[in-house]
Amino acid sequence: MFLDKKRILINFIYLNEYEKHPDAKLNTSLLWEYDLTRFDYQQMRNIVVQRVVERGWPDDWYAILNLYGEDGVKNAIKEIPYFNDKDMNFVHVAFEIPLTEMKCYERKQSSQTHWES
């Protein structure tokens, strides 16, 4: 029940509203260490999506959804090798991506912690 309400809220805020914000711009401070005059947003899609998931505001979400589309963002999320638990579960719920399809989840499952060795 809680996850259904959360998914509906997230879908309303980001996935159903992004087309109403075609002029949304990505906050360039998310990519502070890159030279944005030569930055290839298509080639660096996973970096851009990861930064928005970790630190982005609604306008950043609208910008990447307009730039890459829902499928492009979902595919990037699946390929990103690391998210913290909170961000991983957020995108799992928001985009309805099974955890087992996410590279970051597979890496967490395969890594040993200090106490397990």
Side-chain angles (χ1 to χ4, degrees):
M1 175 87 167
F2 173 73
L3 287 180
D4 290 337
K5 287 181 181 180
K6 189 172 183 178
R7 183 174 289 127
I8 289 168
L9 179 63
I10 293 166
N11 283 339
F12 178 75
I13 291 171
Y14 296 123
L15 299 179
N16 294 333
E17 295 288 312
Y18 77 92
E19 292 173 341
K20 294 178 183 176
H21 302 272
D23 297 331
K25 301 282 187 234
L26 187 68
N27 183 349
T28 57
S29 67
L30 293 174
L31 303 167
W32 62 271
E33 75 269 44
Y34 295 99
D35 178 5
L36 297 181
T37 60
R38 297 183 300 150
F39 191 81
D40 184 346
Y41 284 88
Q42 294 304 319
Q43 184 178 3
M44 301 294 282
R45 178 189 70 176
N46 291 0
I47 296 291
V48 174
V49 171
Q50 183 173 11
R51 296 292 171 84
V52 171
V53 169
E54 292 172 344
R55 300 178 186 93
W57 290 90
D59 274 353
D60 301 316
W61 281 95
Y62 299 144
I64 65 167
L65 286 164
N66 281 317
L67 181 61
Y68 304 121
E70 288 179 49
D71 290 336
V73 172
K74 284 182 184 182
N75 289 334
I77 288 168
K78 290 177 185 179
E79 296 169 4
I80 294 170
Y82 177 79
F83 282 123
N84 65 35
D85 290 340
K86 181 181 87 169
D87 292 334
M88 179 178 61
N89 285 299
F90 173 79
V91 294
H92 157 68
V93 171
F95 291 94
E96 300 179 17
I97 301 171
L99 287 171
T100 56
E101 291 183 15
M102 297 170 62
K103 186 182 244 181
C104 62
Y105 179 78
E106 294 296 327
R107 287 185 65 159
K108 279 189 188 299
Q109 298 305 309
S110 64
S111 66
Q112 288 187 334
T113 62
H114 173 71
W115 300 110
E116 294 175 343
S117 55

